[in-house]
Amino acid sequence: MHSRYARYTQALSDGVLNSPGEVDSTLRQHVEVQSAKLNGRASHQAGQVPAELERYITKVALYAYKVTDQDIEALCAAGYSEDAIFELTLSAALGAGMARLERGLSALKGESDATQNH
């Protein structure tokens, strides 16, 4: 992203995806990539997200307002701590938000693929 805010968005991404945490940074990066792809970012990266996370990541990426206590309880039952769930949620939200921002900026520049329905 080329803007006056690029430094800040990079710092945000690094903080969410690469800082020490409960969840391995590689998994957080895979979650971000999957969420961004769901929101229209073209990517050749293939991230492996555990099956028990796929539904949750999709829900956060596309329908965050539909996340319920039962979703969190299911992840806790699968062995994820509340801190881990928080980090995974941030990673998914980051991917979705950044992909939407990238598409919006592309649309403002008049790029034709930015306005296609993904």
Side-chain angles (χ1 to χ4, degrees), residues 27-106:
L27 177 55
R28 285 182 272 154
Q29 292 167 15
H30 291 306
V31 167
E32 189 273 344
V33 167
Q34 179 173 332
S35 179
K37 286 173 98 173
L38 289 167
N39 281 277
R41 180 191 291 159
S43 176
H44 300 311
Q45 296 175 336
Q48 290 292 78
V49 175
E52 69 271 9
L53 290 177
E54 296 224 9
R55 182 175 173 270
Y56 179 74
I57 298 309
T58 299
K59 190 179 265 193
V60 170
L62 300 175
Y63 315 103
Y65 64 95
K66 292 184 178 184
V67 173
T68 65
D69 289 343
Q70 289 78 18
D71 295 314
I72 305 304
E73 289 168 6
L75 291 176
C76 286
Y80 293 93
S81 69
E82 288 184 4
D83 286 343
I85 296 167
F86 179 70
E87 292 171 16
L88 294 165
T89 303
L90 286 178
S91 300
L94 176 67
M98 293 305 294
R100 291 173 187 154
L101 176 62
E102 292 160 6
R103 287 183 59 207
L105 291 173
S106 292

